[in-house]
């Protein structure tokens, strides 16, 4: 059996069964798909050659005429691989019935077969046939037929207009065993992704599943041209590969399809070279023979020897055979479509049921030509039954088209003038029974009755291609070189239809219209050649040579015999029209007009007519007098400035035709083009003056002269050579500050021919060679203030001069200088202590010390009653001037910006304020007077503001008030303080009447506390402190108030901390450190007593200061417990406090533990409290028991408060010991008291005497079972050292580093778990690298193990 997907192309389009009257003439007609196909008529497998038969051929129509036919005969027509059977019978009625054709394998001439009527095939089952057979059900048949027609029309439309393919595969031919390739191309410019392309054989067989040894599919993508190429290659073709193929392309909503044929030419003796094993090979992917298109070749090539005997009806054999033998019978009798056979057999069995309503039903199908008349006849069993006719489910009503007749039991329906709309499924209903049929309307082919004729014409002529067809308004398609011509609105082709006449019109033919034009109808085609040639060209007026002055018009004109466009060329280059160049074409005349002729317009011109290999030449010559275009260089005053040392290339554009001669001169000296530092060069369009390495002497006026045969021109040019300025003189540093200095210098002697724009300043450290630029904006002055230098470091500075040419060489460095600054004033000056004859002051170091360091302090004092002359008060004018300046520069002195200003900057500001005030008042005020007056105004204003604020609060409460009014000066001070936020002071007011300051320390003191002795009692002094360094003394820090020299007594008072007001408890060995603050002046006397006795200072340390006392015990013992009394005394005044200290420890074990009684499973124990309770109350006891066999102790009771207990639930027969621990707030006692005797829990009955055994000695000295290993650790990451040790009793572990015991070091942690000893080193450093030793010691011996630890720093 063939594969269901086999689809061999059929060249014969239909198969018929014709019924005619006996003895009459019969015409059997068939039609091929294309012309030129060789067709053979056969009868019983033999070629028809008889006097009764005549064959005719007309285009694609093939006709067989049989005379005097009296019997039923069967004819077949063979075309290539296609064989169609034609049956002719002789019943009385003549009726043409259309039957679906089957694809019958080709049979050799000597092959004979039993007559087999092929089963009908459903469209979805038989994909190897080119025409689908309707299914038995009439509605399904109708819908499937319409779908098939729609599919054919869709294929037809898609073949006409290609939406995706730019190159389609074409039909081809190949010999058996040869290779052939089909190519399809899709343009990808408008596609976002790859299209889906399928290769199909016939209608439905997708060849992608057959790819393999004989079939290969390939696709590529050309990224440059944006084209997808899809290839299908057939390798070692076989005869059954021939047929119709289709290629489909799909992209989103776009679809394109094209069909092509493959013809496989058989080898001469192919039938004898049959390999039965290869014929039966299966098809499948991945196997050796994957890619076989079908496996029915065996059936096609199988030779069946003719058998003599009667004709066999296969259907009768199938009806009586078992279903298990169907396949065997089908193969035996050559039935290839087993599914169709089974369906028909099933339908035949179903049709055997006799109908009750119909005695004769409609035939399965009818076929009629378009315009013909068809007759449907049914015969009823009961003529009284009402009958209804339906077309596609719609009831048919009588009309001129549909005529109903009744003849006895026959019911007849005539359909007149059949059209394609009548092609449908018809149904007749008689009661509940139905029978159906299908009508096929065939449209006759349209023939070309008048062929196209070849035409030869000239360009521009009107061309008409004309043909005639057999039908009016028939569908005719025109093609140009195989490409369809469509009648679109903007197409240059027009299609004209006049009845049967069809005309293709081209109004103005050109050479591109030369081609093969063809017309195609459904029944024929015609082709003709169209040749369009050019007319011979004649030059009626040629171009002439011209000489034109520069700026004039160029007018070129020529005339040719033909009205064709052309192109103008200059020196072989195409000329394009623009505003200056105009191209004219009128009829046979051509003109080129160029306005304002330029030198570039000179050359050889030519006019070339389109489509002709002829050119019309001429020459144009443009002349011009010489000119010098120096103004185009944009040099001011014709002066060229050049930098000294650089190369000058002065290009002066010149024009003139012919090219002028250029001469350069300076004064009376000509400049030649010979080699030298100054030389001239001549070029066609410019003159060049070259000066290598320009110098100052090159400055001057130069003359250029150009001349040619049309005249001459002269121009003068000035050349100025400029250079960088000379270096300035070495700068001088006039003043030095903390991190700044002031420097000055003189301008350079030579400015380089350009004005000095400014200066750059650089500095460096004396020991360094690296200079640093201080200003990036030019300094316009000849002085500068460098800042941000490091104090105490020697510096040098230098200067660069800058003009428009560049930067000069640096000046010589200045003399080295060192920035130094005094420190700021000391801070937090306060009175520490006052006696009747001395005052002790204390302070803090200055906030800013600087690089000069701090050498010490000077303490000065003066008496308040020292006296002095009265100074004139500040006038209102002076005060207003002071406030104006404070409002302007106050933020820099006292506000937010004061931190950014240095002491020298502030001194300068105060000097400016002093200058303004003395200018106004003329009283020669000092800076200190001005500062003092500002402080006075500020304090006075603040005092009044605070007073008024308090009075306003009283006024709100309803009490009488006295609000003070501010003077105008005070109001201005208030505004300045509030708005400008100027409130802090950068200076301290000097004592008003102090004229002489006394130095209290002749030598500098480096301490921040000093006592001034020898002062008279009751006097008042002012004190100030200055810090001193190498730069000198700082601003003084003055105590704001006078100090009374008189000692003040403060009663003593002990401020006992809260936690010491209760009993202070510590464990034995802990540190006791008690700090008790107190107050009192003069310095109190402190005394300690313990339990009424003086403290033993050998055991307890006492340290006293002016404000507190400290009691310190390094390791507390129980003997340190007790009551401590503290007494603080100043003269006759004193204060006392008591502190209770309790030092506690673990208690001792109970005194005696005895077994009072044993009964049953119970034991009664009794003991006495311990002698030593650890200086704390006993909180409970812990009782443990141990079996005498194992001596393992288990806790029975915890936190037990009584001194007797009963132990229950003991095991009978066991003997127990008991022990008791005492417990207080520090924990359990270190040892326990054990019962001297054991308690035996006896069983009832005969007593058993246990044998005595010696206890096994488990004791052993320490042994390391796992040693330490040398380790490398990374610095910063924890490291661990591990080892394991065994020993009994449990050994004591000690870790050592380089033989030094490690203890109380928080960087080391030591663990011991299940005999595994671990030393953890937290974040080690390279210092931790050493030899580490682990020592284990017990009473039987000791053991050591060591390793090396290396600590590396991470890279």
């Amino acid at each position: 059996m063939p594969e269901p997907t086999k689809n061999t192309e059929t060249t014969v389009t239909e198969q018929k069964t014709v019924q005619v009257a006996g003895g009459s003439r019969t015409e059997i007609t068939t039609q091929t798909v294309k012309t030129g196909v060789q067709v053979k008529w056969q009868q019983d497998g033999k070629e028809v050659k008889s006097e009764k038969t005549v064959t005719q051929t007309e285009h694609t129509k093939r006709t067989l005429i049989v005379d005097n036919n009296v019997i039923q005969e069967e004819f077949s027509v063979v075309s290539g691989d296609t064989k169609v059977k034609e049956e002719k019978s002789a019943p009385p009625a003549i009726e043409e019935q259309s039957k679906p054709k089957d694809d019958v394998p080709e049979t050799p001439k000597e092959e004979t077969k039993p007559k087999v009527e092929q089963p009908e095939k459903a469209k979805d089952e038989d994909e190897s046939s080119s025409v689908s057979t309707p299914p038995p059900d009439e509605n399904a048949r109708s819908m499937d037929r319409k779908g098939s027609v729609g599919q054919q029309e869709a294929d037809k439309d898609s073949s006409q207009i290609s939406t995706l393919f730019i190159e389609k595969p074409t039909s081809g031919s190949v010999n058996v065993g040869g290779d052939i390739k089909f190519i399809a191309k899709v343009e990808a410019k408008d596609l976002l992704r790859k299209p889906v392309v399928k290769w199909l054989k016939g209608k439905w067989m997708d060849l992608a599943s057959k790819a393999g040894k004989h079939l290969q599919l390939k696709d590529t993508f050309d990224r440059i041209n944006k084209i997808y190429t899809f290839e299908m290659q057939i390798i070692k073709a076989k005869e059954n590969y021939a047929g119709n193929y289709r290629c489909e392309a799909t992209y989103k909503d776009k679809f394109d399809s094209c069909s092509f044929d493959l013809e496989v030419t058989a080898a001469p003796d192919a039938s004898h070279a049959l390999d039965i094993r290869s014929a039966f090979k299966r098809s499948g992917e991945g196997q050796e023979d994957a890619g076989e298109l079908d496996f029915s070749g065996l059936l096609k090539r199988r030779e069946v020897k003719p058998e003599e005997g009667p004709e066999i009806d296969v259907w009768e054999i199938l009806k009586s055979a078992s279903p298990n033998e169907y396949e065997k019978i089908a193969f035996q009798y050559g039935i290839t479509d087993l599914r169709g056979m089974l369906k028909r057999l099933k339908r035949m069995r179903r049709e055997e049921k006799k109908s009750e309503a119909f005695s004769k039903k409609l035939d399965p199908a009818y076929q009629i030509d378009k315009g013909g008349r068809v007759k449907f006849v049914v015969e009823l069993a009961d003529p009284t039954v009402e009958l209804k006719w339906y077309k596609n489910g719609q009831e048919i009503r009588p009309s001129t088209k549909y005529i109903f007749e009744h003849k006895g039991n026959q019911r007849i329906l005539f359909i007149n003038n059949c059209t394609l709309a009548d092609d449908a499924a018809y149904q007749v209903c008689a009661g509940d029974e139905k029978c159906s049929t299908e009508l096929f309307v065939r449209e006759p082919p349209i023939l070309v009755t008048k062929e196209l004729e070849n035409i030869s014409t000239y360009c521009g002529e009107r061309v008409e291609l004309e043909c005639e067809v057999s039908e009016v308004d028939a569908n005719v398609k025109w093609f140009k070189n195989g490409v369809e011509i469509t009648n679109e609105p903007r197409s240059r082709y027009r299609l004209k239809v006049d009845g049967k006449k069809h005309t293709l019109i081209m109004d103005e033919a050109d050479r591109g219209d030369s081609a093969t034009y063809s017309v195609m109808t459904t029944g024929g085609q015609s082709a003709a050649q169209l040749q369009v040639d050019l007319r011979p060209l004649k030059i009626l007026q040629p171009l002439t040579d011209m000489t034109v002055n520069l700026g004039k018009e160029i007018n070129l004109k020529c005339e040719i015999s033909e009205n064709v466009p052309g192109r103008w060329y200059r020196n072989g280059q195409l000329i394009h029209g623009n505003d200056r160049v105009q191209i004219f074409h009128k009829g046979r005349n051509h003109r080129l007009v160029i306005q304002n002729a330029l030198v570039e317009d000179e050359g050889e011109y030519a006019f070339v007519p389109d489509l002709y290999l002829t050119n019309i030449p001429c020459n144009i010559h443009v002349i011009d007098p010489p000119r010098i275009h120096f103004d185009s260089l944009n040099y001011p005053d014709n002066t060229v400035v050049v930098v000294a040392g650089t190369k000058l290339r002065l290009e002066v554009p010149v024009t003139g035709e012919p090219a002028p001669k250029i001469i350069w001169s300076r004064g009376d000296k000509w400049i030649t083009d010979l080699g030298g530092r100054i030389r001239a060069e001549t070029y066609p369009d410019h003159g060049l003056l070259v000066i290598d390495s320009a110098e100052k002497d090159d400055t001057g006026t130069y003359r250029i002269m150009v001349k040619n045969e049309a005249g001459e021109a002269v121009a003068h040019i000035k050349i100025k050579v400029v250079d960088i300025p000379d270096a300035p003189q070495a700068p001088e540093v006039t003043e030095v500050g903390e991190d700044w200095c002031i420097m000055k210098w003189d301008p350079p002697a030579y400015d380089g021919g350009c004005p000095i724009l400014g200066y750059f300043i650089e500095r460096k450290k004396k020991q360094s060679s690296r200079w640093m630029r201080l200003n990036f904006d030019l300094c316009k002055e000849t002085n500068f203030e460098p800042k941000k230098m490091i104090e105490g470091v020697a510096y040098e500075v230098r200067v660069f001069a800058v003009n428009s040419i560049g930067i000069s060489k640096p000046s010589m460095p200045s003399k080295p200088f060192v920035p130094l600054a005094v420190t700021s004033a000391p801070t937090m000056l306060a009175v520490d202590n006052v006696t009747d004859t001395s005052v002790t002051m204390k302070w803090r170091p200055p906030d800013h010390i600087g690089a000069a360091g701090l050498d010490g302090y000077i303490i000065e004092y003066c008496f308040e009653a020292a006296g002095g002359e009265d100074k004139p008060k500040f006038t209102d004018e002076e005060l207003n001037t002071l406030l104006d300046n404070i409002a302007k520069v106050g933020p820099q002195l006292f506000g937010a910006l004061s931190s950014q200003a240095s002491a020298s900057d502030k001194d300068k500001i105060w000097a400016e304020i002093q200058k303004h005030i003395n200018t106004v008042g003329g009283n020669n005020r000092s800076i200190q007077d001005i500062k003092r007056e500002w402080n006075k105004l500020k304090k006075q204003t603040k005092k009044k503001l605070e007073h008024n604020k308090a009075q306003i609060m009283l006024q709100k409460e309803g009490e009488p008030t006295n609000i003070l009014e501010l003077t105008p000066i005070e109001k201005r001070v208030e505004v300045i303080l509030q708005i400008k936020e100027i409130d802090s002071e950068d200076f301290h007011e000097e004592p008003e009447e102090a004229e002489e300051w006394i130095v209290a320390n002749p030598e500098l003191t480096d301490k921040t506390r000093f006592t001034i002795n020898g002062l008279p009692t009751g006097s008042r002094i002012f004190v100030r402190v200055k810090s001193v360094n190498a730069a000198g003394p700082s601003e003084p820090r003055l105590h704001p108030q006078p100090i009374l020299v008189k000692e003040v007594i403060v009663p003593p008072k002990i401020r006992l901390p809260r936690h010491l007001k209760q009993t202070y408890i510590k464990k034995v060995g802990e540190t006791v450190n008690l700090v008790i603050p107190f107050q009192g002046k003069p310095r109190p006397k402190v005394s300690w007593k313990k339990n009424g006795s003086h403290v033993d200072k050998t055991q307890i340390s006492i340290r006293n200061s002016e404000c507190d006392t400290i009691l310190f015990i390094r390791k507390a013992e129980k003997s340190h417990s007790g009551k401590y009394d503290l007494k603080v005394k100043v003269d006759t005044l004193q204060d006392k406090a008591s502190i209770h200290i309790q030092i506690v420890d673990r208690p001792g074990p109970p005194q005696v533990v005895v077994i009072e009684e044993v009964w049953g499973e119970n034991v009664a124990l009794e003991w006495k409290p311990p002698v030593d309770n650890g200086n704390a109350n006993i909180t409970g006891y812990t009782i443990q028991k141990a079996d005498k066999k194992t001596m393992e102790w288990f806790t029975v009771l915890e936190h037990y408060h009584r001194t007797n207990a009963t132990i229950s639930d003991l095991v009978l027969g066991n003997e127990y010991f008991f022990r008791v621990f005492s417990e207080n707030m520090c924990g359990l006692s270190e040892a326990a008291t054990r019962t001297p005797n054991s308690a035996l829990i006896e069983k009832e009955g005969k007593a058993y005497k246990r044998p005595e055994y010696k206890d096994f000695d488990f004791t052993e000295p320490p042994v390391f079972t796992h040693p330490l290993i040398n380790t490398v650790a990374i610095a910063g990451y924890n490291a661990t050292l591990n080892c394991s040790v065994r020993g009994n009793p449990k050994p004591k572990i000690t870790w050592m580093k380089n033989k030094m015991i490690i203890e109380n070091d928080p960087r080391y942690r030591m663990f011991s778990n299940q005999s595994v000893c671990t030393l953890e080193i937290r974040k080690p450093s390279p210092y931790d690298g050493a030899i580490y030793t682990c020592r284990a010691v017990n009473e039987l011996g000791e053991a050591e193990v060591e390793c090396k630890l290396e600590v590396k720093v991470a890279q």
Side-chain angles (χ1 to χ4, degrees), residues 209-220:
S209 61
K210 302 297 180 180
K213 178 180 179 181
H214 295 281
L215 178 66
Q216 294 183 2
L217 303 180
K218 180 182 177 183
D219 61 87
T220 58

Side-chain angles (χ1 to χ4, degrees), residues 770-1047:
R770 178 176 172 271
W771 290 90
M772 183 176 67
R773 178 71 57 84
L774 299 182
N775 62 317
F776 294 96
D777 295 329
L778 290 175
C779 177
K780 307 296 183 181
E781 306 295 334
T782 57
N783 55 73
F784 189 74
E785 183 180 354
K787 295 183 179 181
K788 297 183 179 179
M789 292 186 286
I790 303 174
E791 291 184 72
V793 178
Y795 285 92
E796 293 177 352
V797 291
R798 67 181 182 182
V799 182
F800 294 83
V802 181
N803 63 3
S804 59
I805 304 304
I807 304 175
S808 69
K809 294 181 179 179
S811 67
M812 293 300 294
S814 67
K815 295 181 180 180
F817 62 94
V818 179
L820 288 175
V822 298
T823 65
S824 61
T827 59
M828 301 179 67
L829 179 61
V831 178
D832 187 40
N833 191 20
V834 179
T835 65
D836 291 338
T837 59
S838 66
V839 173
T840 302
M841 305 298 293
K842 63 179 181 179
W843 61 91
R844 298 295 298 274
D847 294 334
H848 178 69
I849 295 177
L854 178 62
D855 296 338
Y857 301 95
I858 296 176
I859 298 91
E860 297 177 339
Y861 69 94
C862 67
F863 294 97
E864 186 179 25
E869 297 181 0
D870 294 335
K871 296 180 181 180
K873 294 184 178 181
F874 277 73
T875 64
D876 292 344
E877 190 174 2
E878 289 178 331
L879 292 177
N880 285 324
T881 303
L882 172 62
L883 295 179
D884 290 341
N885 285 273
I886 292 296
K888 182 178 179 181
V889 298
Q892 300 178 19
L893 294 173
F894 318 114
L897 300 178
S898 62
S899 60
Q900 301 178 7
S902 62
S904 61
D905 293 337
K906 294 180 180 180
D907 290 341
K908 292 179 183 179
I909 295 173
W910 281 112
E912 288 294 326
I913 296 175
Q914 179 189 18
K915 179 180 178 181
H916 294 160
I917 293 176
N918 289 336
T919 302
V920 173
N923 292 322
N924 196 19
R925 305 287 186 182
S926 65
I927 294 177
Q928 197 65 33
D929 294 337
I930 297 171
K931 291 181 179 180
R932 187 181 298 110
E933 187 63 25
W934 164 247
N935 266 353
K936 180 179 178 182
L937 285 173
K938 188 168 61 172
K939 292 179 180 179
Q940 182 178 342
T941 304
K942 284 185 177 182
K943 185 175 181 180
K944 284 188 177 183
L945 291 175
E946 291 176 0
H947 172 78
N948 291 343
K949 186 176 180 181
Q951 293 298 318
I952 291 172
M953 296 296 295
L954 295 175
Q955 185 178 6
K956 291 181 180 180
E957 297 176 0
E959 297 183 4
T961 58
N962 181 20
I963 297 178
L964 302 177
E965 184 177 357
L966 299 178
T967 64
I969 298 296
E970 292 172 346
K971 290 181 179 179
R972 290 195 62 188
V973 173
E974 179 185 9
V975 172
I976 292 174
L977 294 177
Q978 293 179 356
I979 298 178
K980 299 296 182 179
E981 298 181 356
I982 301 172
D983 196 10
S984 61
E985 297 181 7
D986 192 50
F987 60 92
H988 293 279
E989 182 182 2
E990 297 288 347
E992 294 183 1
E993 299 180 358
E995 291 184 351
E996 181 181 0
W997 287 93
I998 303 171
V999 178
N1001 56 329
E1003 296 181 358
L1004 295 179
T1005 177
D1006 56 353
K1007 301 183 180 300
T1008 57
R1009 187 174 182 274
F1010 187 81
T1011 301
I1012 303 174
N1013 298 311
L1015 298 176
T1017 304
S1019 62
R1020 292 179 178 271
I1021 64 171
F1022 289 95
V1023 180
R1024 67 181 185 183
V1025 180
K1026 297 179 183 178
S1027 56
V1028 181
N1029 64 0
S1034 69
E1035 288 289 329
R1037 177 66 65 183
L1038 177 68
H1039 192 272
Q1041 302 296 333
I1043 303 170
L1044 176 62
V1045 184
K1046 184 178 181 181
E1047 189 171 14

Side-chain angles (χ1 to χ4, degrees), residues 278-403:
S278 63
F280 273 101
K281 284 186 178 179
R282 297 177 61 87
S283 173
E285 289 189 2
Q287 301 179 8
E288 180 184 0
D289 290 333
E292 291 284 353
L293 301 185
D294 69 59
F295 59 89
S296 60
L298 179 65
L299 298 179
K300 289 187 176 181
R301 302 189 188 96
R302 185 167 58 92
E303 295 185 2
V304 180
K305 295 182 179 181
E307 296 181 2
E308 301 294 336
E311 194 173 283
I312 301 174
D313 189 355
V314 180
W315 297 112
E316 294 298 331
I317 297 175
L318 291 172
K319 289 180 182 178
S320 59
S322 172
N324 297 332
E325 299 178 355
Y326 285 165
E327 185 174 359
K328 178 180 178 182
I329 295 172
F331 185 79
Q332 181 179 356
Y333 292 100
I335 300 176
T336 60
D337 189 358
L338 182 60
R339 290 186 180 181
M341 180 194 75
L342 295 176
K343 282 192 173 184
R344 180 167 179 178
L345 184 62
K346 183 178 180 181
R347 187 166 60 253
M348 290 176 62
R349 290 180 176 177
R350 187 167 59 244
E351 291 174 356
E352 290 178 358
K353 296 181 180 179
K354 188 173 181 180
S355 173
E356 296 180 359
F358 297 99
S359 58
K360 180 181 179 182
K361 295 186 176 181
L362 293 172
D363 293 337
Y366 296 84
Q367 179 171 322
I368 191 67
D369 290 337
K370 181 180 178 182
R373 183 183 185 190
V374 67
K375 175 183 177 182
F376 295 134
V377 179
V378 295
E379 188 173 342
L380 300 177
D382 184 5
T384 61
V385 176
E386 183 180 359
L387 196 70
K388 290 185 179 181
W389 293 86
Y390 295 91
K391 173 185 176 182
N392 287 341
Q394 299 293 328
E395 185 177 356
I396 301 175
R397 300 293 182 182
S399 64
T400 58
K401 185 176 183 65
Y402 301 102
I403 300 174

Side-chain angles (χ1 to χ4, degrees), residues 1119-1138:
S1119 59
H1120 294 148
S1121 301
K1123 178 182 178 183
Y1124 290 80
D1125 297 320
L1126 171 62
K1127 184 172 69 172
V1128 178
K1129 184 177 181 181
V1130 176
D1131 290 341
T1132 59
L1133 302 175
Q1134 65 178 11
D1135 191 14
K1136 295 182 179 181
S1138 298

